[in-house]
Amino acid sequence: QCTPWIHKHFVYEHATVELSFFRVTAWTGTLQAKEGQSFAWHFPHEALSVSPVLPANGPVLRGLSLPPVHAITCAAEFGVAHSLAALQRGLQQRAVGMVQIREPQMPTAQLADFAAEIVARCRPAGCLVVLNGEPELAQAWGVDGVHLNRHRLMALPTRPELNWVGASVHNAAELAAATRLG
């Protein structure tokens, strides 16, 4: 059982390569290399034991380490206490692997406290935390990354210096800006 995940097209000096990646959730049989390639089973956090690996695979392999469930806060609607309690339940059940703090109306001082509490709960559980907001705040607050809305994305000259950077894109120009930033 599988679903399409990512499709990439790369042009190298020596070849043009089409790569199709799938999320495989169930299979039977024995894996067989049909084109003479090497293969090995790895968990996403392990170092690879096969080579060569095309450089273009780097971001795809990194993407495999993202958790399958990404929660987004909604404290403006449900309240801070309720949101933290729901997060705690999700962490205890190992149902959440990443949290995006998305509170555009929350005052910065309150948002800083909310983010600190989320980080304190997520770190011991190995859960990633990203801020939907200003990259400078994400860096100052020690979260793992930032999610950029389209306005922040279009205003940035370079990629923020954070482990994870995501962006909302709604048209070709925004997609080109995200691609330019890497």
Side-chain angles (χ1 to χ4, degrees):
Q1 295 174 338
C2 65
T3 54
W5 184 48
I6 297 174
H7 183 85
K8 295 284 191 174
H9 176 89
F10 299 99
V11 178
Y12 295 99
E13 284 183 22
H14 64 286
T16 298
V17 179
E18 293 282 336
L19 299 173
S20 295
F21 297 87
F22 296 83
R23 286 247 184 221
V24 178
T25 54
W27 61 280
T28 59
T30 304
L31 185 64
Q32 295 178 348
K34 297 289 188 180
E35 298 169 339
Q37 66 271 51
S38 298
F39 65 88
W41 294 106
H42 291 276
F43 287 102
H45 61 277
E46 291 179 339
L48 296 178
S49 64
V50 296
S51 67
V53 175
L54 295 172
N57 286 342
V60 174
L61 293 171
R62 181 166 156 76
L64 287 172
S65 67
L66 285 170
V69 176
H70 178 151
I72 301 174
T73 67
C74 197
E77 184 173 344
F78 297 108
V80 168
H82 176 83
S83 297
L84 292 173
L87 171 62
Q88 193 63 43
R89 284 190 304 276
L91 293 171
Q92 288 170 341
Q93 296 167 3
R94 299 187 183 271
V96 177
M98 178 181 238
V99 175
Q100 179 184 144
I101 303 168
R102 185 179 184 275
E103 303 296 337
Q105 279 77 38
M106 192 177 281
T108 303
Q110 183 183 358
L111 185 60
D113 292 342
F114 186 55
E117 185 63 33
I118 288 174
V119 168
R121 292 170 188 238
C122 287
R123 285 286 182 262
C127 179
L128 298 172
V129 179
V130 297
L131 174 69
N132 187 317
E134 296 295 335
E136 298 79 15
L137 293 178
Q139 290 168 327
W141 295 345
V143 299
D144 301 295
V146 66
H147 184 85
L148 306 168
N149 66 24
R150 61 200 246 186
H151 303 293
R152 286 186 188 98
L153 169 67
M154 298 305 283
L156 283 176
T158 59
R159 184 184 189 279
E161 294 292 323
L162 290 155
N163 286 334
W164 296 101
V165 179
S168 294
V169 297
H170 306 276
N171 58 46
E174 294 165 2
L175 182 59
T179 301
R180 176 183 53 80
L181 292 177

